[in-house]
Each structure stands twice: as structure tokens, then as C-alpha cells.
């Protein structure tokens, strides 16, 4: 498998590298750099945003009342290198199945 290079504005925890790149080999981030990227299969370019991390596609931030919340699930994810979570549409006792309930959940998450 050929190395992959993701080029664009690389968003890190402490800064953004405007002319940055992320080198991925065998599915792992090997190096984050600036300016001239190394060789490899290139993705992105100027105007793209690169988030070097993983996506957790199934998170239950509020499925157990008084056990966990967004602040804890997102901190845990970040500690493990996760940059994006997809929270499931069920909060204990409150299935998120209407626009009103979804908006309320978005507001609560934003407050945290």
C-alpha cells in the first residue's frame, strides 16, 4: 500500500498549520509537517481542512442518565486520538426522533 499525504490547513490541538500536511502509512499517522509534502498518494490541497485523528462512529454520550455526558465522552475521545464523534440519537428516556428534541440536544451539547 502506498503512503498517503493529506494536504491543507492541518488542525492540531495547539495550533493550525496553514500550509500543512499529514503523512499516513499503513493506516497510521507517521508525521505532520509544513510546506513541501513528501511523496505519496496526495489528497486535498489549498482550501482543505485536515484533522489528523480517528472518527468514532457510535458514541452514547447520554444513554445512561447521570452516568456520562458530552463533556466526558468528548474528553475521553480526545484522549484516545479521536477527533470526531457521532453521538447516537438516544438519551435515556428521550429518543431523539424530532427536530425539537434534536435542537434541544444540540443546545445542551453546545453549553458543555
Amino acid at each position: 500500500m502506498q503512503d498517503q499525504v493529506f494536504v491543507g490547513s492541518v488542525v492540531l490541538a495547539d495550533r493550525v498549520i496553514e500550509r500543512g500536511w499529514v503523512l499516513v502509512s499503513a493506516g497510521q499517522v507517521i508525521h505532520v509537517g509544513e510546506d513541501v509534502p513528501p511523496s505519496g498518494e496526495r489528497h486535498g490541497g489549498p482550501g482543505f481542512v485536515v484533522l489528523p485523528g480517528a472518527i468514532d462512529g457510535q458514541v452514547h454520550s447520554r444513554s445512561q442518565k447521570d452516568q456520562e455526558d458530552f463533556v466526558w465522552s468528548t474528553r475521553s475521545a480526545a484522549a484516545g486520538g479521536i477527533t470526531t464523534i457521532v453521538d447516537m440519537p438516544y438519551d435515556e428516556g428521550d429518543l431523539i426522533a424530532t427536530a425539537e428534541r434534536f435542537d434541544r440536544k444540540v443546545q445542551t451539547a453546545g453549553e458543555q
Side-chain angles (χ1 to χ4, degrees):
M1 178 193 293
Q2 183 179 13
D3 289 347
Q4 297 184 40
V5 182
F6 297 86
V7 179
S9 297
V10 179
V11 180
L12 302 175
D14 61 340
R15 69 188 187 287
V16 175
I17 303 172
E18 292 298 338
R19 293 181 39 208
W21 50 265
V22 176
L23 174 63
V24 176
S25 183
Q28 293 186 354
V29 174
I30 301 301
H31 192 76
V32 176
E34 190 170 10
D35 293 323
V36 180
S39 63
E41 182 181 338
R42 185 177 268 184
H43 305 275
F48 281 77
V49 175
V50 180
L51 302 170
I55 298 171
D56 187 339
Q58 185 170 351
V59 174
H60 295 269
S61 295
R62 304 177 77 184
S63 293
Q64 295 181 6
K65 198 170 191 143
D66 299 324
Q67 296 296 310
E68 191 173 75
D69 220 325
F70 296 110
V71 68
W72 299 111
S73 61
T74 55
R75 283 181 182 175
S76 297
I82 305 295
T83 57
T84 304
I85 66 167
V86 179
D87 191 55
M88 294 295 99
Y90 176 75
D91 295 348
E92 186 173 314
D94 189 18
L95 178 62
I96 309 303
T98 67
E100 179 183 316
R101 289 179 180 181
F102 177 77
D103 289 343
R104 185 173 62 238
K105 185 168 187 168
V106 168
Q107 181 180 355
T108 303
E111 292 169 357
Q112 290 185 26

